[in-house]
Amino acid sequence: MIMHFLTAAPRFLFFTGKGGVGKTSIACATAIELAGAGKRVLLVSTDPASNVGQVFGITIGNVITAIPAVANLSALEIDPQAAAQLYRNRIVDPVRGKLPEAVVKGIEEQLSGACTTEIAAFDEFTALLTNEQLIAGYEHIIFDTAPTGHTIRLLQLPGAWSGFLEEGKGDASCLGPLAGLEKQRSQYQQAVAALANPLHTRLILVARAQTSTLQEAARTHDELQAIGLTQQYLVINGVLPKSEAGLDPLAAAIYTREQRAMADMPDMLKALPTDQIALKGFNLVGLEALHRLLKEQTAVTVQAAFQPPVLQVPDLSTLVNEIAKDGHGLVMTMGKGGVGKTTIAAAIAVELAHRGLSVHLTTSDPAAHITETLNGSMANLTVSRIDPHTEIARYQQHVMDTKGAQLDEAGRKLLQEDLRSPCTEEIAVFQAFSKVIRQAGKQFVVMDTAPTGHTLLLLDATGSYHRDIERQMGKTNLHFTTPMMQLQDPKQTKVVLITLAETTPVLEAANLQTDLRRAGIEPWAWVINNSIAFAHPLSPLLQQRAQNEISEIEAVKHLSDRYALVPLLKDEPIGIAKLLKLSRHEG
C-alpha cells in the first residue's frame, strides 16, 4: 500500500492532530518504514503523553537513543513538563527575592499553563531544526506532535515581551510564557523559516473518520496555512474496513457513519493528498504491530471461545440517581475534544428532566451541535448557548478600554495580540458561564465545554472576580459566594470527566484531573464513553478492540471511586429517546 505522505518524503516530517487519533503510532511506523529503506532517521516526540519508548519496548528519555531492533533509527523524547519547569526557572529565579512574593506567585501562575509547555517544548526542539551538524547526521527527522499555529504566530512577533510584562501591562494570558524568548529569538526565526519551507518540511494532519476530529484538522490546516506552512497532507486513521460491515449490525452502522463523515469533511481537507489507515484489532505496541500498521488490512479471525468481557460497571443513570438527590446544583462535563462531552451532558440533562426536575443545559459549542443532539424539546428542560465569538469580542473590548487605555501604540498592539490567545477564549467563556452558575441554586444547570483547571487557577491568581469579592467582603460579616467558591464546593458542583476506553484519552483525562485539583476542584465522577466492550459486537475486529478496552476501564477504576460506562450504540445518540437509552445501557 503506497502512502502519499511518505512519497518523496522531505527531511522534516511533523505529525499533528487531536489527542487519541494515533499520531505516535503513525510517526513510529513512518520512522520504521524510512529506516527500513536505508535512511538514517531520528524520531522526536514532544507529546506530554509520549509513549514512544513504550512502543519500542525501551527507555528513551531526553537523550538521542539508538533503537537496537531497528537499524538506522534513533529516538528522542522531549519531556514537555520538565522543559517547562526549566523554562519557568529561567524566568522566575532572577526576580525571586527582588519582587513581592505575591507578584512572583502571579508570574509562576502565568507560566503554569499549556502555552508555557508548548513554547518550552518548541524551545527544546528548535535546535533540531537549526543545528546543522545534527541535521547532517540524519536524512529524516520525524516529530510526533507539531507546534500549533498559535505558538508559531507568537514566535514570529517582534520583541518587547519582557518589558511589557514587567510593567504590568500584560493580563492573564499567554504573554507570560514569552517573557524568556529574547535570547533565542534569532534561532526561533530560523526554525520558523525551516518549518515554512515546503522543500524541507511536510506537515501531516492526523484525524479519525469522525466529524469532530475532521473539523479540528480543518481548523489546524487553516491556522498553519495562514502563517506559511502550506505543505500539508491528511491521514485519516482507524477507518473500519468495509469487510467488517457485513458481519455485524454495529459494524455496519459504524462504517456508514464514518463514510458519511469523510464524504462531508470540509473542502480544504478534500483538496489535500489523503491517506486512509484501516482500523486494527491489535494494540500498536512493539515492532511487529508497527510494521503492520501501514500495510493492507488482513482478515481478522476470532477464537471460537471468545466471550464478551463481563465487568460490573455502573451505567450513567446510576450517577444521575446520586445527582438528582440534591434537587438542584451544577454539573460540568469536562474532557478533551472528541470524547463526547456534549452527548453526555445532554444525556444527563435529559435524564434529570425526565424525572420531573427543572434543568438548564448550556454549552459553548456551536448551537447546531447541541440542538442536533437533542433533536427536540421536553418538559422541564431549557437550553442556552454561549457564543464564544461574542464573549471574546466583549472581553477583548473591555480589556482594551481599561488596560489598553493606559498604553502607547506599541503596547496596545502587543496587548491586542495577547488577547487573541487561547487563554482569552477560556476566560471570556468562563465569565459568561459565571452568570449561568447562579441559577444552580434553584435548579440543575448542566454545562458542556467547561474551562480547564489552568484557566480557573489563572482567574483566581490574577484576582479577577473571586479575589476582588473576597477582598471586599472579607472584613464584613456578610455571606458571599463567588463562582470559584461554588466550583470548589462539592455540595454545589459536580465535575464529571469524560473519556474513551483508550490509552491516550484516559491519560489526558488523568492529567486534567490533576490540573483541576491544583485549582481546588475535586472531580466528582468519570464517564467512559462509546465503549465497544459493552456493545456486544459480532465483528471479529470489534471483538478484538473490545478486549483491548478492559485494561483502560480498569485504569479508570483506580483513578476514581465513582465512574460509569456508556456503550457504543448502533445508532448515534441523537434525540430525547436515544439519549435516555444511552444513560441506561440500552442499545
Side-chain angles (χ1 to χ4, degrees):
M1 182 168 59
I2 298 174
M3 291 285 173
H4 293 91
F5 75 90
L6 277 173
T7 304
R11 185 181 298 275
F12 299 120
L13 291 167
F14 282 86
F15 291 87
T16 186
K18 292 177 74 167
V21 294
K23 295 186 301 292
T24 298
S25 298
I26 296 173
C28 291
T30 298
I32 290 171
E33 192 82 7
L34 292 172
K39 307 291 186 180
R40 299 185 307 279
V41 180
L42 175 62
L43 173 61
V44 181
S45 174
T46 61
D47 191 334
S50 177
N51 60 344
V52 168
Q54 179 186 348
V55 166
F56 287 110
I58 64 170
T59 300
I60 297 175
N62 197 26
V63 177
I64 294 177
T65 304
I67 305 297
V70 184
N72 304 315
L73 177 59
S74 297
L76 168 67
E77 287 181 322
I78 295 173
D79 181 349
Q81 302 302 332
Q85 187 57 52
L86 291 172
Y87 192 85
R88 281 191 288 269
N89 293 343
R90 196 167 77 211
I91 296 172
V92 176
D93 285 352
V95 300
R96 205 181 295 279
K98 298 178 182 178
L99 293 176
E101 186 62 26
V103 174
V104 174
K105 284 186 176 180
I107 295 173
E108 286 177 328
E109 192 49 56
Q110 282 203 325
L111 297 171
S112 71
C115 292
T116 298
T117 304
E118 202 173 285
I119 291 170
F122 190 82
D123 189 46
E124 289 276 318
F125 74 63
T126 297
L128 302 174
L129 295 169
T130 58
N131 186 327
E132 294 182 4
Q133 183 177 355
L134 178 68
I135 291 172
Y138 301 97
E139 290 157 280
H140 298 288
I141 300 181
I142 298 169
F143 293 89
D144 169 27
T145 303
T148 67
H150 166 252
T151 300
I152 295 170
R153 180 163 52 80
L154 286 174
L155 293 169
Q156 288 176 318
L157 294 172
W161 301 114
S162 297
F164 187 73
L165 206 74
E166 288 167 6
E167 292 169 28
K169 297 172 183 176
D171 204 348
S173 66
C174 294
L175 272 186
L178 291 159
L181 297 187
E182 290 304 318
K183 294 179 182 178
Q184 290 84 10
R185 185 162 294 280
S186 62
Q187 182 172 304
Y188 289 164
Q189 289 171 344
Q190 188 180 347
V192 170
L195 283 171
N197 187 335
L199 297 178
H200 295 163
T201 300
R202 180 174 296 171
L203 283 144
I204 297 100
L205 308 174
V206 184
R208 290 283 183 93
Q210 301 165 347
T211 300
S212 62
T213 62
L214 289 167
Q215 288 175 340
E216 177 74 16
R219 284 192 291 271
T220 303
H221 167 274
D222 288 348
E223 191 177 42
L224 294 173
Q225 188 175 59
I227 54 176
L229 279 65
T230 58
Q231 185 77 335
Q232 299 183 27
Y233 285 63
L234 175 66
V235 174
I236 303 176
N237 188 31
V239 179
L240 187 71
K242 187 176 182 179
S243 57
E244 297 289 317
L247 305 174
D248 180 358
L250 176 64
I254 294 171
Y255 176 79
T256 300
R257 194 182 307 171
E258 291 184 344
Q259 294 300 312
R260 186 186 306 121
M262 290 188 288
D264 294 340
M265 69 182 175
D267 289 340
M268 78 277 287
L269 295 184
K270 292 180 180 178
L272 297 179
T274 302
D275 296 295
Q276 290 185 24
I277 298 177
L279 182 70
K280 303 298 192 293
F282 50 84
N283 282 323
L284 289 165
V285 176
L287 291 178
E288 182 183 352
L290 292 171
H291 276 298
R292 294 163 61 190
L293 177 59
L294 302 182
K295 309 300 181 187
E296 291 283 2
Q297 176 77 345
T298 55
V300 179
T301 57
V302 66
Q303 298 175 2
F306 177 87
Q307 292 292 330
V310 177
L311 291 172
Q312 295 301 317
V313 181
D315 59 20
L316 190 59
S317 67
T318 304
L319 291 186
V320 177
N321 288 340
E322 294 187 62
I323 295 170
K325 289 177 183 177
D326 296 331
H328 64 85
L330 176 64
V331 180
M332 303 178 81
T333 58
M334 294 190 185
K336 298 295 183 179
V339 296
K341 292 190 301 293
T342 299
T343 299
I344 299 302
I348 291 172
V350 165
E351 181 73 30
L352 287 169
H354 181 71
R355 301 179 185 200
L357 298 162
S358 177
V359 184
H360 179 184
L361 172 63
T362 185
T363 180
S364 60
D365 265 357
H369 186 32
I370 193 71
T371 304
E372 178 184 311
T373 300
L374 289 170
N375 194 30
S377 59
M378 65 184 298
N380 307 313
L381 178 64
T382 59
V383 181
S384 69
R385 179 199 174 224
I386 294 168
D387 183 352
H389 296 292
T390 301
E391 300 304 330
I392 291 167
R394 183 181 294 127
Y395 178 77
Q396 289 171 331
Q397 190 61 51
H398 171 73
V399 174
M400 292 304 298
D401 289 345
T402 52
K403 285 185 175 291
Q406 315 299 319
L407 303 179
D408 57 20
E409 187 60 28
R412 286 178 63 84
K413 285 183 178 179
L414 284 171
L415 184 57
Q416 284 174 332
E417 178 58 36
D418 183 33
L419 288 170
R420 289 196 286 270
S421 77
C423 297
T424 296
E425 178 174 347
E426 290 181 352
I427 292 168
V429 170
F430 176 78
Q431 291 188 345
F433 272 148
S434 296
K435 298 173 185 176
V436 181
I437 284 175
R438 290 191 290 270
Q439 300 176 18
K442 298 179 180 179
Q443 66 175 153
F444 281 106
V445 175
V446 181
M447 286 188 175
D448 168 40
T449 313
T452 66
H454 168 252
T455 303
L456 299 171
L457 272 170
L458 205 54
L459 284 162
D460 193 26
T462 54
S464 2
Y465 184 66
H466 173 76
R467 287 290 175 87
D468 286 344
I469 295 296
E470 199 172 43
R471 189 162 45 247
Q472 293 169 27
M473 304 295 290
K475 296 180 180 180
T476 73
N477 293 322
L478 297 176
H479 174 74
F480 67 97
T481 302
T482 68
M484 176 67 78
M485 291 166 64
Q486 183 161 346
L487 296 180
Q488 293 170 332
D489 184 351
K491 294 181 180 178
Q492 299 186 64
T493 300
K494 291 179 171 61
V495 172
V496 181
L497 298 183
I498 317 300
T499 186
L500 303 176
E502 298 175 10
T503 304
T504 301
V506 169
L507 186 56
E508 289 182 338
N511 290 337
L512 176 56
Q513 177 165 270
T514 300
D515 202 18
L516 288 168
R517 285 172 173 166
R518 287 176 56 234
I521 299 170
E522 181 64 30
W524 181 74
W526 284 50
V527 172
I528 303 165
N529 193 27
N530 286 339
S531 170
I532 300 173
F534 281 75
H536 308 296
L538 301 175
S539 151
L541 177 59
L542 293 184
Q543 287 183 343
Q544 284 193 357
R545 300 283 300 182
Q547 192 64 49
N548 294 340
E549 287 187 352
I550 305 306
S551 60
E552 301 306 325
I553 294 171
E554 292 294 335
V556 170
K557 289 182 176 182
H558 287 96
L559 287 163
S560 177
D561 293 331
R562 186 183 286 107
Y563 46 83
L565 189 141
V566 174
L568 177 64
L569 300 184
K570 181 168 67 70
D571 299 319
E572 288 192 83
I574 294 174
I576 305 296
K578 289 178 182 175
L579 287 168
L580 285 171
K581 287 184 176 181
L582 184 86
S583 68
R584 303 172 186 179
H585 278 194
E586 298 176 19

